[in-house]
Amino acid sequence: MEVIVCKTAEEASRLAATLITDALQTTPALVLGLATGSTPLLLYRELIKACQSGADFSRVRTFNLDEYCGLPPEHPHSYRTFMNAHLFSNLNIRPENTHVPDGTADNLPALCAAYEAAIAAAGGIDIQVLGIGSNGHIGFNEPGSPLDSRTRRVTLTEQTLRDNTRFFSAREEVPRYAISMGVGTILEAKKCVLLGFGANKARAIKAAIEGPVSPDSPASALQVHRDTVVFLDEAAAAKLQ
Ligand code: F6R
């Protein structure tokens, strides 16, 4: 793992964006794995700026990490809606090249298998963008998730339900289940870019980087990945030795 500590989340996000736009120069049909939540918002803003300045996303393919079960794509709190609003609708990307799992599919095992097959058919993920949960999750792979897990339906922990209530009007509205790429799926990305910002991520970041590789901290699996860069602000890095 390469760990880069920046003064601010803005600076870290600019570096992460440059890493992606540089890759885009050499690989116009880049395959990106993408995350939702607060953490990648500044990165997405930088990518939109880059597109406005001429970066070409017309051949880029994307695969999002996760989606809530039960929320249709057009639901205001679905991750598809989040991605359209915060990234896709502001890039010259082709909508059909963007993939977010369908949380309303009747046959979830078939949907998950098809999602994995679509990633493989695209040639695998070149760069996977990741945030980290305050409990160490990546995607919605909660503590206890097997390190070789694949795309599947997962049950969200109480901690994650609490953390994500801020996006909903009430706790009861947060779906209890999601579809998530597995830790094993994530580890197959050629490069992983983990972003961690804010003091509430410091404990999870320490466990991920300095703790043992263990399902207790799903992000710790990145220690065995061949090419992971971690971009932190000072607050998230505060507990690192
Ligand atoms: C969401 C995802 C999650 C988030 C994590 C952090 O697609 O993959 O692992 O990255 O829950 O969320 P924020 O950034 O809102 O703190």
Side-chain angles (χ1 to χ4, degrees), residues 34-41 44 64-68 79 82-83 128-142 160 163-164 166-167 180 186 194-195 197 200-201:
L34 297 174
T36 56
S38 315
T39 307
L41 286 175
Y44 294 162
N64 264 76
L65 284 162
D66 40 22
E67 177 61 283
Y68 287 117
Y79 281 171
F82 177 100
M83 291 307 298
Q128 175 66 57
V129 174
L130 298 162
I132 184 168
S134 62
N135 62 2
H137 73 212
I138 46 174
F140 271 142
N141 295 286
E142 301 284 32
T160 296
D163 286 350
N164 287 4
R166 70 189 195 280
F167 296 113
S180 178
I186 292 168
L194 175 68
L195 306 173
F197 305 142
N200 67 325
K201 301 294 171 68

Side-chain angles (χ1 to χ4, degrees), residues 60-235:
V60 169
R61 280 85 42 87
T62 67
F63 291 89
N64 264 76
L65 284 162
D66 40 22
E67 177 61 283
Y68 287 117
C69 283
L71 299 192
E74 60 282 2
H75 189 282
H77 293 128
S78 76
Y79 281 171
R80 162 56 78 179
T81 296
F82 177 100
M83 291 307 298
N84 287 346
H86 293 288
L87 189 64
F88 300 148
S89 58
N90 302 298
L91 296 179
N92 69 331
I93 195 166
R94 296 162 72 103
E96 63 272 27
N97 285 351
T98 67
H99 303 87
V100 181
D102 176 2
T104 59
D106 288 333
N107 185 342
L108 286 183
L111 171 105
C112 294
Y115 203 68
E116 293 266 346
I119 293 172
I125 290 172
D126 293 308
I127 302 178
Q128 175 66 57
V129 174
L130 298 162
I132 184 168
S134 62
N135 62 2
H137 73 212
I138 46 174
F140 271 142
N141 295 286
E142 301 284 32
S145 297
L147 300 184
D148 61 355
S149 49
R150 312 299 308 186
T151 303
R152 69 208 184 288
R153 190 184 86 143
V154 295
T155 307
L156 303 181
T157 61
E158 286 302 316
Q159 177 71 56
T160 296
L161 294 176
R162 265 198 305 277
D163 286 350
N164 287 4
T165 298
R166 70 189 195 280
F167 296 113
F168 292 79
S169 37
R171 164 77 175 276
E172 306 72 58
E173 285 182 19
V174 188
R176 301 191 64 85
Y177 302 100
I179 296 159
S180 178
M181 279 188 207
V183 180
T185 319
I186 292 168
L187 290 179
E188 280 173 12
K190 289 164 201 133
K191 189 178 195 83
C192 289
V193 172
L194 175 68
L195 306 173
F197 305 142
N200 67 325
K201 301 294 171 68
R203 204 169 48 92
I205 284 292
K206 183 176 173 59
I209 295 175
E210 294 177 350
V213 176
S214 155
D216 295 342
S217 161
S220 69
L222 295 167
Q223 291 179 28
V224 302
H225 186 263
R226 63 197 157 157
D227 187 5
T228 287
V229 191
V230 186
F231 291 99
L232 304 174
D233 66 3
E234 285 185 344

